[in-house]
């Protein structure tokens, strides 16, 4: 007996059906349906089986899951599979979110019932649960038409079919928090351990972007415009909603943030989290957004969460975790000509800062390669920094996960190893204040484009700031914030008024690689289940004993 049948039996034996018992059965159905849709796993734990019309090659498990073609949003796509899980450009795949299946697309000639999406079927009868069962098992739609070869035929029992239908009915792009007829509400989140000046610099950019965007829409004649997507009355129009920005400033310890975020969201539901600013711990924010299925787009964080099973979070870069890979590559092979590989490495970092998780990740990575790793933890005030450097005297390479104030106080390098690796993000990139005696031996992880190659792309937001009299407090932070707002604007423009969290993520995955103004990054790209838009970086060294000129040790590295 399946879990669902056991739950139903328990309810029936108990006589009267309580609301709690019914809700538990509903939750169980939806969870099983979600597992079938996303992972191809049935309620029994067995793999979903899919066959092709005429005995063609089938698939099972994750390769047979509905998400491969109809996507996480269940709103379909403009690509068609040539095999389950693989796509080549062809015809459009229709939405299968519940209302698109079970309701008519149009109530009347001028009253569209559902938001327009590519591939929606307005010329067929609505499904019933019986006809949906038939199309899934036999490939025959509600009007009796046999679907093509590319639509699999699934082996689904009644319980699993009921669970899948229950899940599809929960996917409703017409009921989304933070979306009204006139406004789209967005939040940006700031953790309490960031520099207030950087916080204000980020918010200044965002508010200016939102204000300018809203002013452009104030003309009454611009409130609706033809989308060019469909012939059906009002579904051919996009309503220009005003963007509303809410700044959620967190307080206290990370263990308290989840409750604060829940309260912020309860008071002001938002459609998405945009940009944001965190220091060494963004994990509670990431977890909150994933639990709420709330898109979290390109926050400014040095230690993003790299969780392969999560979906709703996108980052511009892997931050110091990418630097770990760049430095590990240098240690394993040597950073450049004349720089040998290292067998013994020493790291220095401050507890509670971004360098701590980075140092742990690098140590774990190097030890799997047989490289000996030691460490020194610098306490508040940095008085033990000279001792930490002396502790590295027997190592082949020293790795510094330190901020500018510590770098500027390094002193005499006579006891330090001949090869030095530095975190560029923590040090200030090409403005890192390394003393002259250290610069000649230093190799910096540089997870952005080189200055001479990014100058044109960065000039655009810098000019935008100048015209609007926005002080440049932190160039990379503000350029990345401007980039996040621009990516959001482009994605929403292409969504034709269908505001739905998973659909927004899918649109980002599709359009981000076409963005030309990418600021500090040479290129951006996202695919399904990818979270980081910029994938690589450089190891660089300083071009002289002073100044900001840097020289790449190698070509762009994608670890």
């Amino acid at each position: 007996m399946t879990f669902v049948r056991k739950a139903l039996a328990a309810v029936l034996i108990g006589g009267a059906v309580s609301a709690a018992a019914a809700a538990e059965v509903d939750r169980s159905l939806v969870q099983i349906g979600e597992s079938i849709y996303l992972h191809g796993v049935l309620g029994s734990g067995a793999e979903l089986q899919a066959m092709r019309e005429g005995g063609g090659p089938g698939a099972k498990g994750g390769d047979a899951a509905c998400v491969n073609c109809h996507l996480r949003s269940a709103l379909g796509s403009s690509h068609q599979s040539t095999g389950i899980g693989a796509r080549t450009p062809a015809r459009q795949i229709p939405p299968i979110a519940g209302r698109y299946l079970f309701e008519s697309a149009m109530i009347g000639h001028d009253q569209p019932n559902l938001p327009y999406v590519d591939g929606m079927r307005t010329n067929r009868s609505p499904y019933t649960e019986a006809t949906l069962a038939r199309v899934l098992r036999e490939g025959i739609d509600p009007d009796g038409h046999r679907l093509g070869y590319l639509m699999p035929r699934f082996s689904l029992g009644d319980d699993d079919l009921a669970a899948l239908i229950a899940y599809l009915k929960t996917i409703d792009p017409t009921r989304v928090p933070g979306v009204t007829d006139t406004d789209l509400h967005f939040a940006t989140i700031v953790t309490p351990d960031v520099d207030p000046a950087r916080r204000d610099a980020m918010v200044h950019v965002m508010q200016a972007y939102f204000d300018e965007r809203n002013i452009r829409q104030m003309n009454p004649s611009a409130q609706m415009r033809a989308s060019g997507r469909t012939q059906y009355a009002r579904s051919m129009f996009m309503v220009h909603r005003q963007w509303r920005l809410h700044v959620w400033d967190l307080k206290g310890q990370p263990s308290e943030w989840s409750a604060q975020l829940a309260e912020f969201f309860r008071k002001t539901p938002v459609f998405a989290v945009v940009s944001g600013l965190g220091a060494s711990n963004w994990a509670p924010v990431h977890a909150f957004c994933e639990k709420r299925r709330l898109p979290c787009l390109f926050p400014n964080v040095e230690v993003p969460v790299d969780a392969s099973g999560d979906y709703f979070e996108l980052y511009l870069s892997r931050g110091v975790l990418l630097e770990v890979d760049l430095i590990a590559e240098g240690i394993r092979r040597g950073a450049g000509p004349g720089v040998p590989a290292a067998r013994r490495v020493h790291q220095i970092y401050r507890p509670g800062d971004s360098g701590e998780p980075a140092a742990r990740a690098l140590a774990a990575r190097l030890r799997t390669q047989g490289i000996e790793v030691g460490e020194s933890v610098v306490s508040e005030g940095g008085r033990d920094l000279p001792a930490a450097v002396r502790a590295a005297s027997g190592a082949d390479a020293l790795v510094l996960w330190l901020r500018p104030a510590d770098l500027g106080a390094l002193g005499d390098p006579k006891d330090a190893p001949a090869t030095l690796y530095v975190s560029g993000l923590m040090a200030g990139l090409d403005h890192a204040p390394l003393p002259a005696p250290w610069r000649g031996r230093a190799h910096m992880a540089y997870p952005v484009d080189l200055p001479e190659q990014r100058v044109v792309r960065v000039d655009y937001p810098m000019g935008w700031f100048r015209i609007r009299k926005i002080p440049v407090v932190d160039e990379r932070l503000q350029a990345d914030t401007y980039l996040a707002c621009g990516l959001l604007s482009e994605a929403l423009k292409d969504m034709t008024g269908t505001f739905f969290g998973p659909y927004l993520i899918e649109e980002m995955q599709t359009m981000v690689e076409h963005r030309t103004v990418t600021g500090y990054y040479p290129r951006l790209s996202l695919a399904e289940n990818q979270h980081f838009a910029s994938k690589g970086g450089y190891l660089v060294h300083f071009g002289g004993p002073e100044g900001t000129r840097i020289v790449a040790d190698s070509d762009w590295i994608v670890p």
Side-chain angles (χ1 to χ4, degrees):
M1 183 181 290
T2 67
F3 178 85
V4 174
R5 286 187 176 179
K6 287 179 180 178
L8 286 168
V11 171
L12 293 173
I13 290 170
V17 180
S18 70
E24 182 60 31
V25 172
D26 287 345
R27 281 194 295 270
S28 299
L29 279 171
V30 169
Q31 289 170 357
I32 293 170
E34 183 177 37
S35 176
I36 295 169
Y37 187 93
L38 297 180
H39 309 297
V41 177
L42 303 175
S44 65
E47 292 183 314
L48 175 67
Q49 303 287 327
M51 293 71 70
R52 293 294 191 192
E53 179 75 4
K60 62 181 180 179
D63 291 336
C66 315
V67 70
N68 290 316
C69 293
H70 296 280
L71 306 184
R72 182 69 172 255
S73 67
L75 295 181
S77 71
S78 58
H79 293 80
Q80 182 73 52
S81 294
T82 55
I84 299 176
R87 292 198 213 132
T88 56
R91 52 188 174 182
Q92 294 165 334
I93 299 172
I96 59 171
R99 293 188 63 188
Y100 288 86
L101 291 173
F102 298 111
E103 296 183 20
S104 298
M106 304 292 293
I107 293 174
H109 178 70
D110 63 350
Q111 294 292 322
N113 193 28
L114 295 170
Y116 176 81
V117 294
D118 287 340
M120 66 187 294
R121 302 294 192 250
T122 58
N123 58 350
R124 63 150 173 80
S125 302
Y127 279 94
T128 64
E129 293 190 6
T131 57
L132 183 60
R134 185 176 67 175
V135 77
L136 289 171
R137 291 167 173 165
E138 304 173 33
I140 299 173
D141 78 2
D143 297 314
H145 301 133
R146 185 170 294 277
L147 300 187
Y149 169 84
L150 295 173
M151 173 63 186
R153 280 56 168 163
F154 296 97
S155 179
L156 280 168
D158 290 344
D159 284 354
D160 287 315
L161 183 63
L164 180 58
I165 291 172
Y167 174 67
L168 293 175
K169 286 182 176 180
T170 68
I171 306 174
D172 187 353
T174 66
R175 297 171 61 90
V176 181
V179 179
T180 72
D181 290 340
T182 58
D183 298 301
L184 289 176
H185 293 267
F186 300 95
T188 194
I189 300 172
V190 183
T191 63
D193 48 356
V194 303
D195 181 353
R198 299 183 74 234
R199 179 259 188 209
D200 293 345
M202 179 198 72
V203 172
H204 197 171
V205 171
M206 294 192 72
Q207 195 61 67
Y209 194 102
F210 276 45
D211 289 346
E212 181 171 294
R213 186 262 174 206
N214 288 339
I215 289 171
R216 289 200 305 268
Q217 312 307 324
M218 291 301 289
N219 181 353
S221 65
Q223 290 303 300
M224 301 187 75
R225 70 175 178 84
S227 70
R229 301 290 188 91
T230 174
Q231 61 183 340
Y232 292 98
R234 284 193 330 193
S235 63
M236 70 184 292
F237 292 108
M238 293 175 57
V239 178
H240 289 292
R241 293 167 171 84
Q242 296 288 285
W243 290 13
R244 308 299 181 191
L245 178 63
H246 307 276
V247 183
W248 292 354
D249 287 300
L250 299 175
K251 299 178 181 178
Q253 297 301 310
S255 60
E256 304 172 272
W257 297 351
S258 179
Q260 293 175 37
L261 290 168
E263 182 62 13
F264 279 128
F265 190 83
R266 185 191 67 80
K267 290 181 177 178
T268 308
V270 297
F271 172 50
V273 173
V274 184
S275 194
L277 184 58
S280 61
N281 189 353
W282 190 252
V285 180
H286 179 108
F288 173 82
C289 292
E290 187 66 22
K291 180 179 179 180
R292 295 277 179 165
R293 306 189 178 196
L294 181 64
C296 182
L297 308 176
F298 311 115
N300 299 288
V301 292
E302 292 176 341
V303 192
V305 178
D306 191 355
S308 60
D310 290 348
Y311 181 79
F312 288 91
E313 299 75 28
L314 300 178
Y315 300 91
L316 288 173
S317 164
R318 290 175 57 228
V320 296
L321 303 180
L322 173 57
E323 292 188 323
V324 165
D325 290 341
L326 297 173
I327 292 173
E329 188 73 6
I331 289 171
R332 186 173 69 87
R333 296 187 177 183
V339 181
R343 303 305 305 169
R344 292 176 299 172
V345 174
H346 198 87
Q347 302 188 89
I348 300 176
Y349 63 88
R350 282 188 177 275
D353 203 351
S354 302
E356 182 173 9
R360 290 176 180 170
L362 181 59
R365 171 84 173 270
L366 296 179
R367 285 169 181 150
T368 64
Q369 301 171 3
I371 297 173
E372 180 183 334
V373 183
E375 66 177 34
S376 296
V377 181
V378 182
S379 61
E380 191 66 32
R383 290 183 296 273
D384 48 358
L385 185 57
V389 173
R390 288 194 299 272
S393 61
D396 301 318
L398 173 62
V399 182
L400 300 181
W401 302 100
L402 297 174
R403 300 290 178 185
D406 286 328
L407 295 179
L410 279 172
D412 193 330
K414 63 182 178 62
D415 295 323
T419 302
L420 173 68
Y421 292 94
V422 181
S423 163
L425 292 178
M426 296 182 66
L429 297 176
D430 27 311
H431 295 280
L434 271 173
W438 289 82
R439 289 165 66 97
R441 66 181 72 188
H443 300 271
M444 181 184 294
Y446 205 82
V448 294
D449 207 359
L450 299 173
E452 64 272 17
Q453 295 175 187
R454 69 178 186 245
V455 61
V456 173
R457 297 191 306 272
V458 173
D459 271 354
Y460 189 90
M462 292 303 111
W464 192 87
F465 299 156
R466 285 192 299 272
I467 292 170
R468 289 149 190 84
K469 297 181 171 55
I470 298 175
V472 179
V473 175
D474 184 320
E475 182 180 278
R476 184 176 65 86
L477 166 68
Q478 291 171 274
D480 283 359
T481 301
Y482 178 85
L483 176 58
C485 292
L487 290 171
L488 172 66
S489 180
E490 290 185 24
L492 292 180
K493 181 178 64 176
D494 290 339
M495 289 170 64
T496 323
T498 305
F499 302 111
F500 188 44
Y503 193 38
L504 175 58
I505 297 293
E506 291 159 8
E507 186 60 37
M508 286 287 183
Q509 293 166 346
T510 300
M511 53 75 57
V512 69
E513 66 181 299
H514 304 295
R515 174 80 177 187
T516 56
V517 181
T518 54
Y520 267 65
Y521 307 95
R523 65 190 66 88
L524 301 175
S525 65
L526 287 167
E528 292 177 42
N529 300 316
Q530 288 188 351
H531 301 285
F532 305 101
S534 179
K535 310 293 195 294
Y538 297 93
L539 283 173
V540 303
H541 62 270
F542 286 99
E546 58 184 25
T548 60
R549 189 173 76 88
I550 58 170
V551 180
D553 293 325
S554 66
D555 292 333
W556 179 259
I557 301 168
V558 179

